[in-house]
């Protein structure tokens, strides 16, 4: 298998090429693939992520493929994910203040209840699709709580994240599961402008504003409503907050935050949950350890996140000539950090290809590193612990009941289907 395979979405339909990544990490830890440098070693990934002055998120965005037009580039630069200091720090600071302890405690309590309810809903069936029937809904319910989105509208975020993250997958790129009869007036207005596939079956580019008009219509109306009629959710806090200089989040900034959370906040955990279950199914002795000793669960969640890294890479762009692992990188070069390689770096993780729920706390990079470290990491961990606790309590030991189906994507380590059964 050639090095180019790690960028080919077809590769991931059968699994992450860990053997190839390990060989490249040993032989050429910074290796040229097509029009970018792939950074594969844990220490180099950390260096890139914590040095935004040299490795910019804003210059070209954070995806390997370049935005299609100059306007598309301007559009992605308005998102916090694609900002550099100081603009990134300002918006992140406002958002951090909105996640008050009271709001977090309220969400945590509700997550635990939702997890129990989701598992209880399938417990009598003896089998289900873990990815579709259980894991897909918990992050949607959590995000709806964060934004104060009516519960019946939450599946909009399912379709939006499918279209954005699954643009390389023929099934996900045209996702449209929400019916107008099932949602609020706010959602119906958004559905009215949802794009349709063109004559070639393709959807408009979801990384352009024109490609996601339904998401932006919903976000704009929701942001204005939160400003005029605040509730006790996190985004109401955000829309009401004014900093010491009189600054506040604009409606446009709210729209872009809504895009980021609806897509990144949903899809990452939606793949992390079945990824964790897939790891346990492949290692039944580890599953039984957790059934016998629930105190191992917090550490097991970290091992799941390391083992099945949901987001496999992010891009930066070099702002100047520099060197990384004895490789000369020129200003303007694309530099892509590969988390699914860094999280199996044998210099950091002893026996990295062994799944061990008793592994000592590790420095996995699943939530990133540096100024862009994931704001939702705490809530992601809460959701994973709550859902697996509910599975252990109500289903006991589960087994694989069919062939898993993987997402065609070189970006998200996705499981579209994970059939399970239990006695």
């Amino acid at each position: 298998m050639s090095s180019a395979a790690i960028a080919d979405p077809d590769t991931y339909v059968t699994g992450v090429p860990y053997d190839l990544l390990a060989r490249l990490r040993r032989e050429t830890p910074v290796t040229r693939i097509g029009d970018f440098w792939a950074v594969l070693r844990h220490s180099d990934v950390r260096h890139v992520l914590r040095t935004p002055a040299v490795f910019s998120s804003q210059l070209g965005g954070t995806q390997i493929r370049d935005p299609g037009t100059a306007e598309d580039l301007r559009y992605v630069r308005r998102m916090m994910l694609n900002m550099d200091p100081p603009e990134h720090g300002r918006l992140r600071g406002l958002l951090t203040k909105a996640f008050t302890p009271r709001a977090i405690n309220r969400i945590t309590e509700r997550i635990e209840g939702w997890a129990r309810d989701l598992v209880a809903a399938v417990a009598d069936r003896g089998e289900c699709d873990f990815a579709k029937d259980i894991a897909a809904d918990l992050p949607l319910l959590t995000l709806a709580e964060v934004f104060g989105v009516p519960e019946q509208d939450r599946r909009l975020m399912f379709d939006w994240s499918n279209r954005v993250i699954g643009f390389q997958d023929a099934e996900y790129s045209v996702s449209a599961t929400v019916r107008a009869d099932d949602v609020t007036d706010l959602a119906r207005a958004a559905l009215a402008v949802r794009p349709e596939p063109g004559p070639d079956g393709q959807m408009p580019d979801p990384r352009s504003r024109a490609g996601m008009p339904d998401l932006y219509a919903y976000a704009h109306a929701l942001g204005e409503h939160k400003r005029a009629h605040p509730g006790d959710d996190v985004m109401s806090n955000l829309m009401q907050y004014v900093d010491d200089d009189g600054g506040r989040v604009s409606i446009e900034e709210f729209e872009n935050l809504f895009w980021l959370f609806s897509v990144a906040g949903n899809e990452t955990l939606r793949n992390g949950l079945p990824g964790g279950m897939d790891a346990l199914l492949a290692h039944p002795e580890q599953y039984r350890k957790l059934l016998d000793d629930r105190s191992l669960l917090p550490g097991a969640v970290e091992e799941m996140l390391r083992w099945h890294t949901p987001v496999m890479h992010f891009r930066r762009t070099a702002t100047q000539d520099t060197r990384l692992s004895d490789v000369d990188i020129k200003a303007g070069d694309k530099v892509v950090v590969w988390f699914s390689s860094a999280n199996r770096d044998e210099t950091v993780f002893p026996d990295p290809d062994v799944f061990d729920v008793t592994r000592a706390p590790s420095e996995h990079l699943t939530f990133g590193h540096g100024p862009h470290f994931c704001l939702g990491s705490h809530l992601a961990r809460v959701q994973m612990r709550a859902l697996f606790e509910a599975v252990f309590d109500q289903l006991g030991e589960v087994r694989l009941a069919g062939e898993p189906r993987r997402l065609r994507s070189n970006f998200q380590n996705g499981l579209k289907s994970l059939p399970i059964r239990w006695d």
Side-chain angles (χ1 to χ4, degrees):
M1 186 181 289
S2 72
S3 60
I6 74 168
D8 184 349
D10 285 331
T11 299
Y12 297 87
V13 174
T14 55
V16 179
Y18 291 114
D19 289 345
L20 173 59
L21 290 169
R23 176 174 64 80
L24 293 172
R25 189 170 58 244
R26 290 190 299 269
E27 297 174 358
T28 53
V30 177
T31 188
R32 189 73 179 182
I33 297 176
D35 65 349
F36 66 90
W37 296 103
V39 180
L40 305 172
R41 199 155 55 186
H42 189 280
S43 59
D44 289 335
V45 170
R46 281 170 56 96
H47 174 71
V48 169
L49 294 178
R50 68 170 178 256
T51 319
V54 179
F55 300 101
S56 168
S57 299
Q58 189 165 15
L59 275 182
T62 51
Q63 298 296 300
I64 292 177
R65 61 186 183 126
D66 293 316
T69 67
E71 178 53 38
D72 289 346
L73 178 58
R74 285 191 291 273
Y75 157 75
V76 300
R77 284 175 171 171
R78 293 196 293 265
M79 295 182 185
M80 190 171 72
L81 183 69
N82 302 311
M83 290 179 177
D84 292 331
E87 292 84 359
H88 172 263
R90 170 193 160 269
L91 195 53
R92 185 183 176 99
L94 289 170
L95 192 55
T96 300
K97 288 182 174 64
F99 279 92
T100 62
R102 179 173 177 270
I104 291 293
N105 289 337
R106 181 170 177 266
I107 296 169
T108 299
E109 290 175 3
R110 302 207 68 183
I111 286 170
E112 292 166 352
W114 290 324
R116 290 191 296 269
D117 291 346
L118 286 168
V119 176
V122 302
D124 293 338
R125 288 163 43 182
E127 63 180 31
C128 76
D129 188 325
F130 184 81
K132 293 180 179 178
D133 299 334
I134 299 178
D137 243 9
L138 187 57
L140 294 177
L141 287 162
T142 302
L143 286 168
E145 179 73 18
V146 168
F147 277 97
V149 169
E151 193 171 306
Q152 65 265 43
D153 290 352
R154 70 184 186 277
R155 294 289 293 187
L156 288 169
M157 292 184 284
F158 176 86
D159 286 338
W160 291 330
S161 62
N162 278 0
R163 282 160 48 194
V164 174
I165 299 298
F167 76 95
Q168 295 170 322
D169 186 283
E171 177 186 354
Y172 272 24
S173 64
V174 295
S175 185
T177 64
V178 177
R179 298 187 318 127
D181 292 344
D182 299 332
V183 293
T184 65
D185 290 343
L186 190 69
R188 277 191 285 274
L191 290 175
V193 295
R194 181 173 62 192
E196 298 289 337
D200 58 356
Q202 298 296 308
M203 293 284 280
D205 185 351
R207 293 188 314 155
S208 65
R209 192 177 180 93
M212 301 295 291
D214 45 339
L215 182 151
Y216 279 100
Y218 192 93
H220 187 90
L222 183 67
E224 289 190 330
H225 180 78
K226 293 296 173 188
R227 181 148 284 169
H229 308 284
D232 55 4
D233 54 87
V234 171
M235 288 301 146
S236 289
N237 295 341
L238 178 68
M239 296 305 284
Q240 297 307 303
Y241 183 79
V242 179
D243 64 23
D244 294 338
D245 298 322
R248 66 193 312 189
V249 172
S250 68
I251 293 294
E252 183 182 70
E253 287 173 330
F254 177 88
E255 292 171 4
N256 289 328
L257 286 171
F258 186 84
W259 187 102
L260 179 62
F261 275 66
S262 296
V263 175
N266 172 33
E267 194 69 18
T268 299
L269 190 62
R270 179 177 150 201
N271 290 320
L273 287 166
M277 177 58 81
D278 191 46
L280 290 176
L281 293 171
H283 301 86
E285 76 289 351
Q286 300 295 310
Y287 196 121
R288 293 177 196 123
K289 284 182 180 180
L290 293 178
L291 280 177
D292 293 340
D293 184 358
R294 303 300 173 78
S295 70
L296 296 174
L297 186 54
V301 164
E302 300 307 311
E303 179 71 341
M304 293 173 192
L305 290 165
R306 182 194 74 85
W307 177 266
H308 183 101
T309 304
V311 177
M312 292 185 286
H313 68 251
F314 265 125
R315 168 192 170 177
R316 299 293 189 263
T317 303
T319 64
Q320 61 192 55
D321 292 354
T322 188
R323 283 178 68 79
L324 194 64
S325 281
D326 299 323
V327 172
D328 289 321
I329 294 172
K330 300 296 185 184
D333 281 358
K334 297 182 189 180
V335 178
V336 181
V337 294
W338 226 271
F339 300 117
S340 45
S341 172
N343 279 348
R344 301 240 181 160
D345 189 331
E346 52 282 332
T347 66
V348 178
F349 308 100
D351 299 317
D353 295 319
V354 172
F355 178 75
D356 180 6
V357 298
T358 67
R359 186 183 291 273
S362 64
E363 297 184 9
H364 69 72
L365 297 174
T366 295
F367 294 119
H369 180 68
H372 281 276
F373 183 81
C374 177
L375 267 172
S377 60
H378 171 72
L379 286 180
R381 289 178 166 111
V382 168
Q383 290 175 78
M384 290 189 73
R385 290 195 296 266
L387 192 60
F388 282 103
E389 188 82 52
V391 168
F392 299 152
D393 284 347
Q394 298 182 57
L395 307 184
E397 185 172 353
V398 308
R399 297 175 296 284
L400 194 64
E403 193 67 26
R405 285 197 306 124
R406 292 181 52 84
L407 179 68
R408 182 184 182 271
S409 172
N410 63 11
F411 178 59
Q412 278 278 344
N413 188 8
L415 281 166
K416 298 198 292 187
S417 177
L418 184 64
I420 60 172
R421 58 186 173 87
W422 55 92
D423 296 327

